[in-house]
Every structure is written in structure tokens, then in C-alpha cells.
Amino acid sequence: MEERYFNRELSWLEFNARVLYQALRKDIPLMERLQFLSIVTSNFDEFFQVRVASVKRCLYENPEQIDISGLSPALQLTSISVRAHQIIRAQQACLMTDLLPALSKSGLKYVRPQDYTPQQREYIQTVFRQNIFPLLTPLRTDTETFTHIKNLTLYAAFLLKPIRGIKTQAGSEELRGSDDLPKIAFVEIPSVIPAIYWLPGKTGRKKEFTLIDDIITEFGTQLFSGLDVEETMIFKVTRDADFAVDEDSGKNFIHAMEDVLIQRKSSFPVQITCNSTSEQLLNFLMEKLELKNEDVYKVDGIVNPQELLELRDTEEAESLSFEKWQHFYPHDLPDDEPFWDTLKIRDKILHVPYESYDPVVKFISDAADDPKVLSIKMTLYRTGRDSPIVAALERAAQNGKQVVALVELKARFDEERNIAWATELEQAGVTVIYGLVNLKVHAKILMIIRQEEDSIKRYVHLSTGNYNPKTARLYSDLSLFTANPQIANDATNFFNLVTGYSILQKMNCLAMAPVTIKQQLLSMIQREIDRTSPENPGLIIAKMNSLTHQEIIQALYKASNAGVKILLNIRGICMLVPGVKGMSENIKVVSIVDRYLEHSRIFYFQNGGAPELYCSSADWMSRNLDRRIELMFPILDKNAFNDIKSILDTYFMDNTNAHNLLPNGTWEPVQKEKNQADFHAQQELYNKYKKYDDNKSKNTELEFKVRRK
């Protein structure tokens, strides 16, 4: 019997394996390979905190539960452990036997303590005494209460034994057990301490460095006067972070969210990563943290490869990185005046990070300062630090405008920051809304209401990505600027719903989850089935981050069996099984992992020759379509439609950074056909926007010369 669904967690692990694949590639610059290697670690941190913790909780609460892929919680955990161990072993092998030697050849050499020269040892010992030692706090473990190990924090563990012939100081009798028994102590490695320390002296033209982990394990004995360090270990514990705020508790919502943040710091351990050769230290930790062998990830090298990212600040890094790509200001938007007149004529699509995010910031900033603007309403999910958007909203409120910001406090791992933004906005006079009970507001929408000569005019911005200028330099997203009255009416209804008590009214253009997006998608898939024929087969092309929704997958299988051709570009999780005769033989799934994180959601339906194209904040996942407030918006402007369709097609032509999903669940790098040239989708897109910018510059120069005459 053919498998109908891949397991969600195992599919995610294969995504992280594709990230690792980029780190393994010799044709990618060293610093970029190091970046991909670091992303593998940060991805795993979140995966274990959220997904593995959730499966462990399910094992405890409902051990007989079987997911749609047919796996019990116990079998999921076993399978996760096996595959995650494989990926982490490959990651460490890449780091220790490939990347670090290659960096050494390029002038950046990692030196371990046993290889310090006498001069380097003396220098580092001085650094330790003056700059590191005062910040360290040794923690005993022989008290009745086991020392709390913080989430995702590096620690050094020491196995200690009294030095024979040295008497302990008065008062040490409180230590339990014989003086001859080993004792265990932990030392937190504070995040305020640099991860990399440069060593004096050079080997040829190489700069040499060591890590804070090495320094503390090498000189940490100075923390334990009268004791000998027998064994050491660096470790990191990952804890459960899969908490939801209790919105029915009757508490103030912000206080309830703060409770979640406190819980996360002391939640149950899920995993430990260590560089242990000390069974005694490791067994002690496993016993105290109640972890099993499958929860332990031993590495032969560096516990946290992210420490090495400080190397990107060196002068050598530029030559070991990708060529810098610009973020071009759009050729068809004014940079010296507001967009109002432009948007009355046509819609505008913005494609970041190829195009600059400046127009979004300018759009809000112009509105804040325009005396004719009456109101600004927007959603904020993840805004980033020092946000110019938040600053513009505050300025707008101070200028007497009505400003409404729907701040989603439940955005995981950004809760604390969003609480701070919400407080700051309220103090500036912004009306802050905390979303809807038990539903995350993940929609990305902004509406500006302006008094014009004859009437009030509304301008709307809709996006597939967050209002975050920093991630907009790294994430590939699409957004729409429009003054279309129908979209503006829908936007008004949307804000009335999420800020007040309005019952959802029929929308002409926008679809909103959890009310209408899923049903509209299912209807459009069925429409494609109804309008397909052997002579003119239907066509669905979709790009998203993840595909897990059972009803959507079943509908796609049905469409495939009806002869509809389906092309899916899925960056991360895909539970759909493609290419199976009699089930999904007309479905192809590809994935691209490249220098920019693919984040846009684009959906194309051929519709019997009257094609429709949509962008959305929502992936085709249960959480997005059933448990979040999301928006899907149509691309109605002809030029914008053609532009986005071209972008969508480009992703299916890539043969340099793309993988195909096979029916057995493995991802295979796309192979070029004989004599086929390289096609690099992100490079092609960059070249496209560079060409626009070059042409704009030429036209500007020509116009300038004509005026001089």
C-alpha cells in the first residue's frame, strides 16, 4: 500500500538536511557555507523546543495516538532521533574536517588549547584572569536542589577531585560526602562574553583564534581552588517552548503572556548537545534532567557552531562570501514624492529583497507626516528591533492622526519584543489591539485613509511577509500597493472585524482564514478539475513554505487523478507524496534553498483559460487555514499579474539550488539535462531588477543631458 502522507516532523528534518547540503557544497564561498551550517543549528534549536517537545507531550498524554502518516508518538521520537543524529554527525564532520581546515588555508586558523604556543597560552591566561574570570559563577551540584540549567545556554561542566595533601578551608565541611569523592560543578558561559578570541603571533599569513569554550575548559580550574579538574564537558540543554497563553484565565492578556515567557525558562528538558568524553558527567546530567540516550547528541567538535559567525566580521570574510547584491529602489515608484498619485493609476508589486524595502517604510512615513492623512491601520506580527515603522506610527499618533496597530503578542519567540513595542506604541497615543482570542493574527495588511479633494481615499498594502525591514533584506517576499476600491472596502471590513465586534461581511476580493481561504482554495482546485480535459489539462502552480493540510492534499490528489498538472514549490515541510501512479502522478514538488530565504506564497490557477493569481500570508497548513487570521489577495492589475507569474515560473526552472521530492520521501538535487546551461533562479531574479535599475539610471542621465541643452 502506497504512503499517502509523509510525517510532518520527518519532512521538516529533510528540509534541514537540504540546508546542510548547501553547507557541504564546495562551489559555495566558505563564509556562506558556515552560515548555512549555523542555520542548521538554529533550525534544530527551534525544532526541538517546539516540535519534539510537542511530540513528547503527546507521548505522555496520549501514547496511542496515531498521526495521519501512521506513526505513534514513540515511533516518531525514535525516527526523529535517528535522522537528527545523522544530520548532526554530518554537520560536525563538515565543520571539523572540511570548513575549519579550508578556513585555515584562507588565513583564519582555529587553534585548540593543546596547540597553543607558550606565548599564546600566557596571553590567553592573562585574558582569562582579567576579562573572563570575574564574569564566571561556578555552581555546585551537591546540594539538595539541582542547579537550574537555562534553555539554549552554553555551560562548562567540571568533574572535580580534591588535590591530595591540601586541606579544605574551614566551612567546607558542609560539602556532602567524603573529600575523596568527585564533585561536579557547572559554569554558565555568559552570552556577553565574545565567542572568539584572537591569539598573538601568526603562522605565515594566518590569523589564529580560539573559542571561549576552550578557554573556560582549559583555565576553569582556577575557579576551584584546592580541587583538581579531572574531566570537562561543554553542553547545551534545549527545553520545551511549546506553550500557549491561557486566554480564558481571566488574567490581563499581557500578564498571561509574561507567564508563558517565565514558564519557557524552566520547562522540561527535551535534548542535550555536548562534546563529552566523560561518561560520568554525561550520566549525571541525563539522570538529573531525565533524558534518555536518544535525547543526547554528542559532537566531536564545537557544540554551538553559531559562535563561528563572528568570523564574518573579519576583513578576510568579504573575499570568502557571496558577491554583495544590492537592494534596488523600484524603477516604477517615485522616490521624491508620495505614492498617492501613482497608485490611483495602477497597482504596484514590490519584490524584496531584490527590490528595497524602503518604499514600505516611505509609504508609512509619508502618511505619518501628510496633513491630509486621517488614519493609519495595520497589523504587526514580527517587527524587528529599532523599527522605523514603529517610529513612524508613533510620529503619526503624535501628529494627531488616528493610528491603530494590531500587535500579535503570540508570535513565538518574539513575544517579549512585541510586548515592548505594544507598550511603547500605547504610550505614544497609538490604539493597540491584541488580536482575537485563541487566534493568532498572522495577516499582513496596512491601510491609509486620506482626505482628498472630492472624497476620502483609501490606500492598501498587503504582503506575504512581516513588516520587518531587517528580515526584508534576507527573506524573499511579495507585496501589493493598491488603491483599488474593492480591496479597500474589504480591508475596511477586515479591520472592523479584528478590532471590534463586526460579523464578517462578504468580501469581494480578499479571502480570510479561518473563514474563507480554505474553502476558496478547495473550490478553485475543484474548478480546475471541472475545467480540465485531455486536450486542455488544468494547471495549478503554487509556491509556499509548507504543505501539511490534509483536506488540501486530498483535493490535490483528486485533481492529479483528473489530469490536472500540479507544480508545487515548497521550501520546507511537505506531507504530500508526489509522483505515485493512481494518486499523484501529475504532481511535481521542488524546493529551493539559496542565499535568500524563500518566504513568498503565490497561487496560480489556470481556470480554463481565464487564469487567476493570488498571494497570501498563509501556507497550506492546518494552523494557517484553520487556526489563524490570514489573508489571501488577488493580483488584478495586468502588469503585476504578468510580473508575478514570471517570478513563479522562474522558480521551476532552477537547476543549481533546487531539489525534487521523490515518492519515497527523499529529496534529490535537480540534475541538469545534457548540454543544459546553469539556471539559478535567485540570480536570474537579481539580474532582472538590476537591469531595471540600469535602465532607470540611463534614462535619468539622458533626461539630464537634454535639459542642459
Side-chain angles (χ1 to χ4, degrees), residues 214-439:
D214 300 316
I215 297 172
I216 290 178
T217 53
E218 184 70 10
F219 299 106
T221 183
Q222 297 178 31
L223 292 161
F224 309 103
S225 178
L227 298 169
D228 189 26
V229 175
E230 292 194 328
E231 295 175 349
T232 62
M233 179 175 80
I234 299 293
F235 70 93
K236 177 181 75 173
V237 172
T238 309
R239 293 183 175 275
D240 170 31
D242 187 31
F243 291 104
V245 64
D246 182 1
E247 299 188 51
D248 300 317
S249 65
K251 282 189 176 182
N252 172 282
F253 185 66
I254 289 184
H255 292 165
M257 182 57 66
E258 288 170 341
D259 288 345
V260 167
L261 299 179
I262 293 168
Q263 282 180 284
R264 188 176 290 164
K265 293 176 182 178
S266 57
S267 54
F268 71 83
V270 177
Q271 174 226 28
I272 183 171
T273 307
C274 61
N275 64 353
S276 175
T277 55
S278 170
E279 290 302 317
Q280 188 167 345
L281 286 171
L282 181 55
N283 289 338
F284 176 80
L285 273 165
M286 289 174 63
E287 178 187 352
K288 294 295 185 181
L289 297 172
E290 299 181 358
L291 293 171
K292 300 177 181 178
N293 286 328
E294 65 185 21
D295 303 319
V296 177
Y297 292 77
K298 294 183 184 179
V299 301
D300 294 328
I302 299 170
V303 170
N304 184 17
Q306 293 172 292
E307 293 179 312
L308 294 170
L309 289 182
E310 288 186 16
L311 294 174
R312 300 203 72 159
D313 297 330
T314 63
E315 60 185 28
E316 290 81 4
E318 184 173 355
S319 63
L320 302 175
S321 303
F322 285 137
E323 175 190 354
K324 285 188 177 179
W325 283 0
Q326 298 178 60
H327 308 284
F328 302 108
Y329 194 90
H331 66 288
D332 50 357
L333 274 179
D335 57 4
D336 56 352
E337 61 184 41
F339 303 155
W340 321 127
D341 292 341
T342 300
L343 297 181
K344 287 172 191 170
I345 300 170
R346 56 180 167 78
D347 293 350
K348 165 59 189 167
I349 291 295
L350 185 71
H351 192 189
V352 297
Y354 308 100
E355 294 183 296
S356 166
Y357 198 70
D358 288 349
V360 178
V361 176
K362 174 177 165 53
F363 192 50
I364 302 171
S365 185
D366 286 347
D369 298 327
D370 187 335
K372 292 185 179 180
V373 168
L374 306 176
S375 178
I376 302 172
K377 301 181 181 183
M378 73 180 300
T379 59
L380 290 173
Y381 191 72
R382 302 186 195 275
T383 57
R385 294 184 176 87
D386 304 319
S387 172
I389 290 174
V390 170
L393 293 177
E394 292 174 358
R395 194 169 71 252
Q398 291 161 357
N399 287 340
K401 304 179 190 308
Q402 180 202 54
V403 182
V404 178
L406 197 156
V407 180
E408 182 49 79
L409 298 187
K410 299 189 290 288
R412 184 178 280 125
F413 303 123
D414 270 349
E415 299 99 334
E416 195 166 0
R417 188 180 305 163
N418 283 2
I419 288 172
W421 284 136
T423 303
E424 185 178 321
L425 286 166
E426 283 185 324
Q427 290 172 348
V430 174
T431 299
V432 176
I433 308 296
Y434 297 121
L436 301 180
V437 175
N438 297 320
L439 290 171

Side-chain angles (χ1 to χ4, degrees), residues 126-184:
T126 301
V127 168
F128 176 80
R129 291 294 305 176
Q130 293 180 353
N131 301 330
I132 301 173
F133 182 87
L135 294 170
L136 302 180
T137 303
L139 304 169
R140 289 165 43 176
T141 63
D142 54 355
T143 53
E144 290 185 8
T145 303
F146 177 65
T147 300
H148 175 67
I149 304 299
K150 296 179 184 177
N151 186 34
L152 298 181
T153 300
L154 279 181
Y155 285 83
F158 296 88
L159 184 63
L160 307 168
K161 198 167 185 180
I163 300 173
R164 286 189 177 277
I166 297 181
K167 292 184 178 180
T168 57
Q169 296 177 354
S172 64
E173 291 80 0
E174 68 187 39
L175 297 178
R176 294 191 300 160
S178 165
D179 282 342
D180 292 331
L181 289 179
K183 298 172 175 60
I184 293 174

Side-chain angles (χ1 to χ4, degrees), residues 30 35 42 73 97 144 223 307 367 374 391 402 495 519 550 585:
L30 281 173
Q35 177 78 26
S42 60
T97 65
E144 290 185 8
L223 292 161
E307 293 179 312
L374 306 176
Q402 180 202 54
F495 281 110
Q519 193 53 51
Q550 188 173 357
E585 57 196 290

Side-chain angles (χ1 to χ4, degrees), residues 8-233:
R8 171 187 169 135
E9 319 311 342
L10 298 181
S11 179
W12 182 93
L13 284 168
E14 296 312 314
F15 159 64
N16 216 22
R18 295 196 297 281
V19 176
L20 177 60
Y21 177 84
Q22 295 298 96
L24 296 170
R25 289 176 54 172
K26 305 281 188 181
D27 60 326
I28 289 180
L30 281 173
M31 286 296 167
E32 307 301 340
R33 295 176 63 193
L34 190 64
Q35 177 78 26
F36 283 117
L37 207 70
S38 171
I39 293 171
V40 171
T41 296
S42 60
N43 283 348
F44 267 131
D45 286 345
E46 182 168 344
F47 177 68
F48 279 98
Q49 286 183 94
V50 179
R51 299 307 311 171
V52 178
S54 175
V55 178
K56 284 197 169 194
R57 191 178 292 108
C58 184
L59 177 65
Y60 176 76
E61 296 173 352
N62 192 1
E64 304 303 320
Q65 180 175 311
I66 304 297
D67 78 334
I68 64 169
S69 71
L71 299 184
S72 66
L75 191 51
Q76 286 186 67
L77 289 172
T78 299
S79 302
I80 287 168
S81 178
V82 169
R83 186 62 176 126
H85 273 92
Q86 291 173 346
I87 295 170
I88 289 174
R89 281 196 296 270
Q91 179 199 31
Q92 283 289 319
C94 173
L95 176 62
M96 303 308 295
T97 65
D98 184 358
L99 283 185
L100 286 174
L103 284 168
S104 179
K105 289 180 182 177
S106 300
L108 298 170
K109 183 180 180 181
Y110 170 49
V111 181
R112 291 189 164 191
Q114 61 266 31
D115 298 320
Y116 293 164
T117 65
Q119 179 193 13
Q120 290 171 342
R121 177 170 290 278
E122 182 179 353
Y123 169 77
I124 286 297
Q125 188 159 7
T126 301
V127 168
F128 176 80
R129 291 294 305 176
Q130 293 180 353
N131 301 330
I132 301 173
F133 182 87
L135 294 170
L136 302 180
T137 303
L139 304 169
R140 289 165 43 176
T141 63
D142 54 355
T143 53
E144 290 185 8
T145 303
F146 177 65
T147 300
H148 175 67
I149 304 299
K150 296 179 184 177
N151 186 34
L152 298 181
T153 300
L154 279 181
Y155 285 83
F158 296 88
L159 184 63
L160 307 168
K161 198 167 185 180
I163 300 173
R164 286 189 177 277
I166 297 181
K167 292 184 178 180
T168 57
Q169 296 177 354
S172 64
E173 291 80 0
E174 68 187 39
L175 297 178
R176 294 191 300 160
S178 165
D179 282 342
D180 292 331
L181 289 179
K183 298 172 175 60
I184 293 174
F186 299 146
V187 175
E188 179 185 343
I189 302 177
S191 59
V192 295
I193 299 178
I196 286 176
Y197 283 82
W198 296 98
L199 299 168
K202 292 185 179 181
T203 305
R205 300 177 62 184
K206 294 178 182 176
K207 293 180 181 176
E208 297 184 340
F209 67 92
T210 194
L211 296 176
I212 184 62
D213 315 10
D214 300 316
I215 297 172
I216 290 178
T217 53
E218 184 70 10
F219 299 106
T221 183
Q222 297 178 31
L223 292 161
F224 309 103
S225 178
L227 298 169
D228 189 26
V229 175
E230 292 194 328
E231 295 175 349
T232 62
M233 179 175 80

